[in-house]
PDB file of all heavy atoms in Angstrom:
ATOM      1  N   TYR A 315       2.336  -0.613   1.628  1.00 86.00           N
ATOM      2  CA  TYR A 315       3.627  -0.154   2.144  1.00 86.00           C
ATOM      3  C   TYR A 315       3.533  -0.226   3.657  1.00 86.00           C
ATOM      4  O   TYR A 315       2.829   0.567   4.282  1.00 86.00           O
ATOM      5  CB  TYR A 315       3.918   1.270   1.680  1.00 86.00           C
ATOM      6  CG  TYR A 315       5.344   1.736   1.924  1.00 86.00           C
ATOM      7  CD1 TYR A 315       6.218   1.927   0.864  1.00 86.00           C
ATOM      8  CD2 TYR A 315       5.809   1.989   3.213  1.00 86.00           C
ATOM      9  CE1 TYR A 315       7.520   2.352   1.080  1.00 86.00           C
ATOM     10  CE2 TYR A 315       7.106   2.403   3.446  1.00 86.00           C
ATOM     11  CZ  TYR A 315       7.960   2.596   2.369  1.00 86.00           C
ATOM     12  OH  TYR A 315       9.255   3.006   2.604  1.00 86.00           O
ATOM     13  N   LEU A 316       4.196  -1.212   4.262  1.00 88.00           N
ATOM     14  CA  LEU A 316       4.131  -1.425   5.700  1.00 88.00           C
ATOM     15  C   LEU A 316       5.520  -1.360   6.324  1.00 88.00           C
ATOM     16  O   LEU A 316       6.511  -1.740   5.700  1.00 88.00           O
ATOM     17  CB  LEU A 316       3.534  -2.803   6.019  1.00 88.00           C
ATOM     18  CG  LEU A 316       2.104  -3.096   5.592  1.00 88.00           C
ATOM     19  CD1 LEU A 316       1.733  -4.510   6.056  1.00 88.00           C
ATOM     20  CD2 LEU A 316       1.133  -2.076   6.143  1.00 88.00           C
ATOM     21  N   LEU A 317       5.563  -0.889   7.555  1.00 88.00           N
ATOM     22  CA  LEU A 317       6.795  -0.989   8.323  1.00 88.00           C
ATOM     23  C   LEU A 317       6.955  -2.437   8.800  1.00 88.00           C
ATOM     24  O   LEU A 317       5.978  -3.130   9.053  1.00 88.00           O
ATOM     25  CB  LEU A 317       6.751  -0.037   9.514  1.00 88.00           C
ATOM     26  CG  LEU A 317       6.682   1.455   9.162  1.00 88.00           C
ATOM     27  CD1 LEU A 317       6.715   2.290  10.428  1.00 88.00           C
ATOM     28  CD2 LEU A 317       7.812   1.856   8.220  1.00 88.00           C
ATOM     29  N   LYS A 318       8.200  -2.865   8.937  1.00 87.00           N
ATOM     30  CA  LYS A 318       8.453  -4.272   9.245  1.00 87.00           C
ATOM     31  C   LYS A 318       7.896  -4.692  10.605  1.00 87.00           C
ATOM     32  O   LYS A 318       7.543  -5.857  10.780  1.00 87.00           O
ATOM     33  CB  LYS A 318       9.953  -4.568   9.179  1.00 87.00           C
ATOM     34  CG  LYS A 318      10.486  -4.627   7.754  1.00 87.00           C
ATOM     35  CD  LYS A 318      11.920  -5.101   7.733  1.00 87.00           C
ATOM     36  CE  LYS A 318      12.414  -5.249   6.299  1.00 87.00           C
ATOM     37  NZ  LYS A 318      13.810  -5.713   6.252  1.00 87.00           N
ATOM     38  N   ASP A 319       7.808  -3.759  11.548  1.00 81.00           N
ATOM     39  CA  ASP A 319       7.274  -4.180  12.843  1.00 81.00           C
ATOM     40  C   ASP A 319       5.803  -4.531  12.759  1.00 81.00           C
ATOM     41  O   ASP A 319       5.241  -5.174  13.635  1.00 81.00           O
ATOM     42  CB  ASP A 319       7.523  -3.120  13.924  1.00 81.00           C
ATOM     43  CG  ASP A 319       6.807  -1.804  13.667  1.00 81.00           C
ATOM     44  OD1 ASP A 319       6.038  -1.715  12.690  1.00 81.00           O
ATOM     45  OD2 ASP A 319       7.017  -0.867  14.456  1.00 81.00           O
ATOM     46  N   ARG A 320       5.137  -4.136  11.641  1.00 76.00           N
ATOM     47  CA  ARG A 320       3.731  -4.486  11.444  1.00 76.00           C
ATOM     48  C   ARG A 320       3.592  -5.983  11.127  1.00 76.00           C
ATOM     49  O   ARG A 320       2.546  -6.569  11.363  1.00 76.00           O
ATOM     50  CB  ARG A 320       3.159  -3.655  10.290  1.00 76.00           C
ATOM     51  CG  ARG A 320       1.668  -3.531  10.274  1.00 76.00           C
ATOM     52  CD  ARG A 320       1.141  -2.644  11.358  1.00 76.00           C
ATOM     53  NE  ARG A 320       1.717  -1.303  11.314  1.00 76.00           N
ATOM     54  CZ  ARG A 320       1.460  -0.364  12.222  1.00 76.00           C
ATOM     55  NH1 ARG A 320       0.639  -0.618  13.213  1.00 76.00           N
ATOM     56  NH2 ARG A 320       2.012   0.824  12.142  1.00 76.00           N
ATOM     57  N   VAL A 321       4.667  -6.599  10.622  1.00 79.00           N
ATOM     58  CA  VAL A 321       4.618  -8.022  10.298  1.00 79.00           C
ATOM     59  C   VAL A 321       4.397  -8.844  11.564  1.00 79.00           C
ATOM     60  O   VAL A 321       3.755  -9.898  11.542  1.00 79.00           O
ATOM     61  CB  VAL A 321       5.916  -8.466   9.592  1.00 79.00           C
ATOM     62  CG1 VAL A 321       5.908  -9.955   9.314  1.00 79.00           C
ATOM     63  CG2 VAL A 321       6.094  -7.688   8.289  1.00 79.00           C
ATOM     64  N   GLY A 322       4.926  -8.342  12.695  1.00 79.00           N
ATOM     65  CA  GLY A 322       4.758  -9.039  13.949  1.00 79.00           C
ATOM     66  C   GLY A 322       3.323  -9.077  14.434  1.00 79.00           C
ATOM     67  O   GLY A 322       2.961  -9.903  15.281  1.00 79.00           O
ATOM     68  N   ARG A 323       2.496  -8.184  13.911  1.00 84.00           N
ATOM     69  CA  ARG A 323       1.075  -8.192  14.232  1.00 84.00           C
ATOM     70  C   ARG A 323       0.389  -9.027  13.152  1.00 84.00           C
ATOM     71  O   ARG A 323      -0.085  -8.506  12.145  1.00 84.00           O
ATOM     72  CB  ARG A 323       0.543  -6.764  14.272  1.00 84.00           C
ATOM     73  CG  ARG A 323       1.338  -5.883  15.240  1.00 84.00           C
ATOM     74  CD  ARG A 323       0.971  -4.422  15.146  1.00 84.00           C
ATOM     75  NE  ARG A 323       1.921  -3.596  15.880  1.00 84.00           N
ATOM     76  CZ  ARG A 323       1.841  -2.281  15.990  1.00 84.00           C
ATOM     77  NH1 ARG A 323       0.834  -1.640  15.413  1.00 84.00           N
ATOM     78  NH2 ARG A 323       2.738  -1.598  16.672  1.00 84.00           N
ATOM     79  N   VAL A 324       0.394 -10.316  13.376  1.00 89.00           N
ATOM     80  CA  VAL A 324       0.091 -11.286  12.327  1.00 89.00           C
ATOM     81  C   VAL A 324      -1.241 -11.022  11.635  1.00 89.00           C
ATOM     82  O   VAL A 324      -1.312 -11.007  10.397  1.00 89.00           O
ATOM     83  CB  VAL A 324       0.123 -12.723  12.900  1.00 89.00           C
ATOM     84  CG1 VAL A 324      -0.333 -13.721  11.850  1.00 89.00           C
ATOM     85  CG2 VAL A 324       1.529 -13.062  13.381  1.00 89.00           C
ATOM     86  N   GLU A 325      -2.297 -10.818  12.391  1.00 88.00           N
ATOM     87  CA  GLU A 325      -3.610 -10.616  11.778  1.00 88.00           C
ATOM     88  C   GLU A 325      -3.625  -9.376  10.894  1.00 88.00           C
ATOM     89  O   GLU A 325      -4.174  -9.397   9.790  1.00 88.00           O
ATOM     90  CB  GLU A 325      -4.692 -10.517  12.854  1.00 88.00           C
ATOM     91  CG  GLU A 325      -4.990 -11.841  13.549  1.00 88.00           C
ATOM     92  CD  GLU A 325      -6.179 -11.736  14.482  1.00 88.00           C
ATOM     93  OE1 GLU A 325      -6.838 -10.673  14.504  1.00 88.00           O
ATOM     94  OE2 GLU A 325      -6.452 -12.719  15.189  1.00 88.00           O
ATOM     95  N   GLN A 326      -3.014  -8.277  11.373  1.00 85.00           N
ATOM     96  CA  GLN A 326      -2.973  -7.049  10.579  1.00 85.00           C
ATOM     97  C   GLN A 326      -2.189  -7.261   9.292  1.00 85.00           C
ATOM     98  O   GLN A 326      -2.575  -6.787   8.226  1.00 85.00           O
ATOM     99  CB  GLN A 326      -2.353  -5.906  11.388  1.00 85.00           C
ATOM    100  CG  GLN A 326      -3.206  -5.430  12.542  1.00 85.00           C
ATOM    101  CD  GLN A 326      -2.587  -4.235  13.236  1.00 85.00           C
ATOM    102  OE1 GLN A 326      -1.822  -3.486  12.641  1.00 85.00           O
ATOM    103  NE2 GLN A 326      -2.907  -4.068  14.504  1.00 85.00           N
ATOM    104  N   PHE A 327      -1.071  -7.974   9.399  1.00 91.00           N
ATOM    105  CA  PHE A 327      -0.248  -8.225   8.217  1.00 91.00           C
ATOM    106  C   PHE A 327      -1.002  -9.057   7.190  1.00 91.00           C
ATOM    107  O   PHE A 327      -1.019  -8.731   5.993  1.00 91.00           O
ATOM    108  CB  PHE A 327       1.052  -8.925   8.621  1.00 91.00           C
ATOM    109  CG  PHE A 327       1.858  -9.401   7.444  1.00 91.00           C
ATOM    110  CD1 PHE A 327       2.493  -8.500   6.610  1.00 91.00           C
ATOM    111  CD2 PHE A 327       1.974 -10.760   7.167  1.00 91.00           C
ATOM    112  CE1 PHE A 327       3.239  -8.936   5.512  1.00 91.00           C
ATOM    113  CE2 PHE A 327       2.706 -11.199   6.082  1.00 91.00           C
ATOM    114  CZ  PHE A 327       3.342 -10.291   5.260  1.00 91.00           C
ATOM    115  N   LEU A 328      -1.641 -10.120   7.633  1.00 93.00           N
ATOM    116  CA  LEU A 328      -2.371 -10.988   6.708  1.00 93.00           C
ATOM    117  C   LEU A 328      -3.570 -10.264   6.093  1.00 93.00           C
ATOM    118  O   LEU A 328      -3.875 -10.450   4.908  1.00 93.00           O
ATOM    119  CB  LEU A 328      -2.831 -12.259   7.429  1.00 93.00           C
ATOM    120  CG  LEU A 328      -1.703 -13.211   7.860  1.00 93.00           C
ATOM    121  CD1 LEU A 328      -2.271 -14.376   8.658  1.00 93.00           C
ATOM    122  CD2 LEU A 328      -0.903 -13.703   6.655  1.00 93.00           C
ATOM    123  N   GLU A 329      -4.240  -9.417   6.870  1.00 89.00           N
ATOM    124  CA  GLU A 329      -5.345  -8.630   6.330  1.00 89.00           C
ATOM    125  C   GLU A 329      -4.836  -7.665   5.263  1.00 89.00           C
ATOM    126  O   GLU A 329      -5.463  -7.479   4.216  1.00 89.00           O
ATOM    127  CB  GLU A 329      -6.038  -7.863   7.449  1.00 89.00           C
ATOM    128  CG  GLU A 329      -6.878  -8.738   8.372  1.00 89.00           C
ATOM    129  CD  GLU A 329      -7.408  -7.982   9.567  1.00 89.00           C
ATOM    130  OE1 GLU A 329      -7.145  -6.765   9.665  1.00 89.00           O
ATOM    131  OE2 GLU A 329      -8.077  -8.598  10.414  1.00 89.00           O
ATOM    132  N   ALA A 330      -3.687  -7.029   5.539  1.00 89.00           N
ATOM    133  CA  ALA A 330      -3.097  -6.109   4.565  1.00 89.00           C
ATOM    134  C   ALA A 330      -2.732  -6.844   3.286  1.00 89.00           C
ATOM    135  O   ALA A 330      -2.967  -6.354   2.176  1.00 89.00           O
ATOM    136  CB  ALA A 330      -1.868  -5.432   5.162  1.00 89.00           C
ATOM    137  N   LEU A 331      -2.173  -8.033   3.425  1.00 94.00           N
ATOM    138  CA  LEU A 331      -1.793  -8.833   2.260  1.00 94.00           C
ATOM    139  C   LEU A 331      -3.018  -9.179   1.423  1.00 94.00           C
ATOM    140  O   LEU A 331      -2.993  -9.079   0.184  1.00 94.00           O
ATOM    141  CB  LEU A 331      -1.086 -10.110   2.723  1.00 94.00           C
ATOM    142  CG  LEU A 331      -0.458 -10.971   1.635  1.00 94.00           C
ATOM    143  CD1 LEU A 331       0.721 -10.256   0.994  1.00 94.00           C
ATOM    144  CD2 LEU A 331      -0.003 -12.300   2.231  1.00 94.00           C
ATOM    145  N   ASP A 332      -4.104  -9.559   2.083  1.00 94.00           N
ATOM    146  CA  ASP A 332      -5.344  -9.878   1.371  1.00 94.00           C
ATOM    147  C   ASP A 332      -5.881  -8.664   0.626  1.00 94.00           C
ATOM    148  O   ASP A 332      -6.344  -8.782  -0.513  1.00 94.00           O
ATOM    149  CB  ASP A 332      -6.405 -10.395   2.351  1.00 94.00           C
ATOM    150  CG  ASP A 332      -6.118 -11.806   2.837  1.00 94.00           C
ATOM    151  OD1 ASP A 332      -5.339 -12.509   2.169  1.00 94.00           O
ATOM    152  OD2 ASP A 332      -6.669 -12.187   3.885  1.00 94.00           O
ATOM    153  N   ARG A 333      -5.853  -7.491   1.268  1.00 88.00           N
ATOM    154  CA  ARG A 333      -6.359  -6.269   0.625  1.00 88.00           C
ATOM    155  C   ARG A 333      -5.563  -5.935  -0.628  1.00 88.00           C
ATOM    156  O   ARG A 333      -6.111  -5.589  -1.666  1.00 88.00           O
ATOM    157  CB  ARG A 333      -6.317  -5.090   1.596  1.00 88.00           C
ATOM    158  CG  ARG A 333      -7.398  -5.090   2.641  1.00 88.00           C
ATOM    159  CD  ARG A 333      -7.621  -3.705   3.216  1.00 88.00           C
ATOM    160  NE  ARG A 333      -6.411  -3.140   3.808  1.00 88.00           N
ATOM    161  CZ  ARG A 333      -6.034  -3.327   5.067  1.00 88.00           C
ATOM    162  NH1 ARG A 333      -6.735  -4.112   5.863  1.00 88.00           N
ATOM    163  NH2 ARG A 333      -4.936  -2.767   5.536  1.00 88.00           N
ATOM    164  N   VAL A 334      -4.246  -6.018  -0.510  1.00 92.00           N
ATOM    165  CA  VAL A 334      -3.378  -5.706  -1.649  1.00 92.00           C
ATOM    166  C   VAL A 334      -3.623  -6.700  -2.783  1.00 92.00           C
ATOM    167  O   VAL A 334      -3.749  -6.309  -3.952  1.00 92.00           O
ATOM    168  CB  VAL A 334      -1.901  -5.718  -1.209  1.00 92.00           C
ATOM    169  CG1 VAL A 334      -0.977  -5.636  -2.428  1.00 92.00           C
ATOM    170  CG2 VAL A 334      -1.622  -4.556  -0.270  1.00 92.00           C
ATOM    171  N   ALA A 335      -3.700  -7.985  -2.449  1.00 94.00           N
ATOM    172  CA  ALA A 335      -3.921  -9.005  -3.468  1.00 94.00           C
ATOM    173  C   ALA A 335      -5.250  -8.800  -4.186  1.00 94.00           C
ATOM    174  O   ALA A 335      -5.390  -9.139  -5.371  1.00 94.00           O
ATOM    175  CB  ALA A 335      -3.876 -10.393  -2.840  1.00 94.00           C
ATOM    176  N   ALA A 336      -6.224  -8.210  -3.475  1.00 90.00           N
ATOM    177  CA  ALA A 336      -7.543  -7.960  -4.066  1.00 90.00           C
ATOM    178  C   ALA A 336      -7.604  -6.637  -4.832  1.00 90.00           C
ATOM    179  O   ALA A 336      -8.659  -6.265  -5.347  1.00 90.00           O
ATOM    180  CB  ALA A 336      -8.607  -7.964  -2.970  1.00 90.00           C
ATOM    181  N   GLY A 337      -6.468  -5.927  -4.916  1.00 86.00           N
ATOM    182  CA  GLY A 337      -6.428  -4.685  -5.681  1.00 86.00           C
ATOM    183  C   GLY A 337      -6.599  -3.434  -4.856  1.00 86.00           C
ATOM    184  O   GLY A 337      -6.677  -2.328  -5.395  1.00 86.00           O
ATOM    185  N   GLY A 338      -6.636  -3.580  -3.534  1.00 81.00           N
ATOM    186  CA  GLY A 338      -6.791  -2.413  -2.668  1.00 81.00           C
ATOM    187  C   GLY A 338      -5.458  -1.855  -2.211  1.00 81.00           C
ATOM    188  O   GLY A 338      -4.393  -2.221  -2.721  1.00 81.00           O
ATOM    189  N   THR A 339      -5.512  -0.960  -1.230  1.00 80.00           N
ATOM    190  CA  THR A 339      -4.304  -0.371  -0.664  1.00 80.00           C
ATOM    191  C   THR A 339      -4.167  -0.784   0.790  1.00 80.00           C
ATOM    192  O   THR A 339      -5.153  -1.019   1.477  1.00 80.00           O
ATOM    193  CB  THR A 339      -4.326   1.165  -0.743  1.00 80.00           C
ATOM    194  OG1 THR A 339      -5.502   1.652  -0.070  1.00 80.00           O
ATOM    195  CG2 THR A 339      -4.316   1.650  -2.171  1.00 80.00           C
ATOM    196  N   ALA A 340      -2.927  -0.840   1.255  1.00 82.00           N
ATOM    197  CA  ALA A 340      -2.654  -1.124   2.661  1.00 82.00           C
ATOM    198  C   ALA A 340      -1.420  -0.322   3.042  1.00 82.00           C
ATOM    199  O   ALA A 340      -0.288  -0.750   2.804  1.00 82.00           O
ATOM    200  CB  ALA A 340      -2.424  -2.616   2.884  1.00 82.00           C
ATOM    201  N   LEU A 341      -1.646   0.868   3.580  1.00 80.00           N
ATOM    202  CA  LEU A 341      -0.538   1.754   3.911  1.00 80.00           C
ATOM    203  C   LEU A 341      -0.395   1.883   5.414  1.00 80.00           C
ATOM    204  O   LEU A 341      -1.371   2.096   6.131  1.00 80.00           O
ATOM    205  CB  LEU A 341      -0.774   3.136   3.294  1.00 80.00           C
ATOM    206  CG  LEU A 341      -1.000   3.136   1.780  1.00 80.00           C
ATOM    207  CD1 LEU A 341      -1.229   4.549   1.283  1.00 80.00           C
ATOM    208  CD2 LEU A 341       0.172   2.497   1.052  1.00 80.00           C
ATOM    209  N   ASP A 342       0.835   1.758   5.875  1.00 81.00           N
ATOM    210  CA  ASP A 342       1.109   1.871   7.296  1.00 81.00           C
ATOM    211  C   ASP A 342       0.688   3.252   7.802  1.00 81.00           C
ATOM    212  O   ASP A 342       0.931   4.257   7.131  1.00 81.00           O
ATOM    213  CB  ASP A 342       2.610   1.670   7.544  1.00 81.00           C
ATOM    214  CG  ASP A 342       2.927   1.395   8.987  1.00 81.00           C
ATOM    215  OD1 ASP A 342       2.904   2.357   9.780  1.00 81.00           O
ATOM    216  OD2 ASP A 342       3.167   0.236   9.335  1.00 81.00           O
ATOM    217  N   PRO A 343       0.050   3.327   8.968  1.00 76.00           N
ATOM    218  CA  PRO A 343      -0.359   4.632   9.498  1.00 76.00           C
ATOM    219  C   PRO A 343       0.786   5.634   9.583  1.00 76.00           C
ATOM    220  O   PRO A 343       0.583   6.831   9.355  1.00 76.00           O
ATOM    221  CB  PRO A 343      -0.892   4.282  10.893  1.00 76.00           C
ATOM    222  CG  PRO A 343      -1.371   2.881  10.770  1.00 76.00           C
ATOM    223  CD  PRO A 343      -0.419   2.223   9.816  1.00 76.00           C
ATOM    224  N   GLU A 344       2.002   5.160   9.890  1.00 76.00           N
ATOM    225  CA  GLU A 344       3.136   6.075   9.973  1.00 76.00           C
ATOM    226  C   GLU A 344       3.504   6.633   8.596  1.00 76.00           C
ATOM    227  O   GLU A 344       3.891   7.793   8.462  1.00 76.00           O
ATOM    228  CB  GLU A 344       4.349   5.364  10.587  1.00 76.00           C
ATOM    229  CG  GLU A 344       4.226   5.101  12.068  1.00 76.00           C
ATOM    230  CD  GLU A 344       4.075   6.397  12.863  1.00 76.00           C
ATOM    231  OE1 GLU A 344       4.785   7.370  12.568  1.00 76.00           O
ATOM    232  OE2 GLU A 344       3.235   6.435  13.772  1.00 76.00           O
ATOM    233  N   VAL A 345       3.384   5.803   7.565  1.00 72.00           N
ATOM    234  CA  VAL A 345       3.639   6.257   6.196  1.00 72.00           C
ATOM    235  C   VAL A 345       2.626   7.324   5.814  1.00 72.00           C
ATOM    236  O   VAL A 345       2.967   8.384   5.283  1.00 72.00           O
ATOM    237  CB  VAL A 345       3.568   5.072   5.210  1.00 72.00           C
ATOM    238  CG1 VAL A 345       3.685   5.566   3.770  1.00 72.00           C
ATOM    239  CG2 VAL A 345       4.655   4.057   5.509  1.00 72.00           C
TER     240      VAL A 345
END
Side-chain angles (χ1 to χ4, degrees):
Y315 192 110
L316 297 182
L317 296 183
K318 286 188 176 180
D319 64 4
R320 201 72 57 184
V321 177
R323 305 171 191 181
V324 174
E325 289 187 6
Q326 291 184 25
F327 171 70
L328 292 176
E329 287 173 1
L331 188 67
D332 287 341
R333 284 201 302 272
V334 170
T339 57
L341 304 180
D342 196 284
E344 288 299 317
V345 174

